[in-house]
């Protein structure tokens, strides 16, 4: 059995500056974007809560660019749905990037 604690590690990361908040957002997008659709748990819920917090601290254009940029895999219906319900540019980038 393998234990994956990457999500908990990212959530423990102290993102108290503009650069570190962007790093944490990108890491969360990467991890949540490839999480299985049946995945559940406290860490996953905490990660989605943190996305909401980061959305209040990182401008819409920056988040849209991050989501629309190359390399991001959006395979999680839950994440695509969460992003698509947000601001127009973020939603458009998420729907464009969704797989």
């Amino acid at each position: 059995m393998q234990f994956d604690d990457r999500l908990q590690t990212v959530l423990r990361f102290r993102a108290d500056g503009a650069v570190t908040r962007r790093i944490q957002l990108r890491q969360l997008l990467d991890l949540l974007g490839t999480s299985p659709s049946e995945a559940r748990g406290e860490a996953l819920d905490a990660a989605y809560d943190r996305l909401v917090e980061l959305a209040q601290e990182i401008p819409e254009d920056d988040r849209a660019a991050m989501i629309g940029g190359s390399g991001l895999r959006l395979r999680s219906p839950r994440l695509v749905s969460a992003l698509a319900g947000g601001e127009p540019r973020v939603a458009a980038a998420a729907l464009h990037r969704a797989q």
Side-chain angles (χ1 to χ4, degrees):
M1 183 171 130
Q2 212 172 2
F3 181 73
D4 185 355
D5 69 341
R6 293 177 297 168
L7 195 54
Q8 292 88 346
T9 300
V10 171
L11 290 171
R12 282 193 305 266
F13 180 68
R14 186 177 175 140
D16 52 5
V19 172
T20 55
R21 283 191 291 271
R22 283 173 173 75
I23 291 169
Q24 187 177 47
L25 176 61
R26 179 56 196 231
Q27 290 173 331
L28 288 172
L29 291 170
D30 283 337
L31 292 172
L32 295 173
T34 57
S35 66
S37 59
E38 69 277 356
R40 302 284 178 267
E42 289 181 27
L44 203 59
D45 292 340
Y48 279 95
D49 290 343
R50 183 63 181 145
L51 282 180
V52 171
E53 293 170 6
L54 290 169
Q56 296 171 356
E57 300 171 4
I58 299 171
E60 177 185 356
D61 287 339
D62 294 350
R63 287 181 285 121
M66 219 179 286
I67 292 165
S70 65
L72 184 64
R73 295 173 291 168
L74 284 182
R75 298 180 185 154
S76 167
R78 180 178 177 186
L79 180 59
V80 172
S81 176
L83 295 172
E87 299 100 328
R89 284 173 282 221
V90 171
L95 293 174
H96 177 73
R97 179 62 57 192
Q99 298 175 358

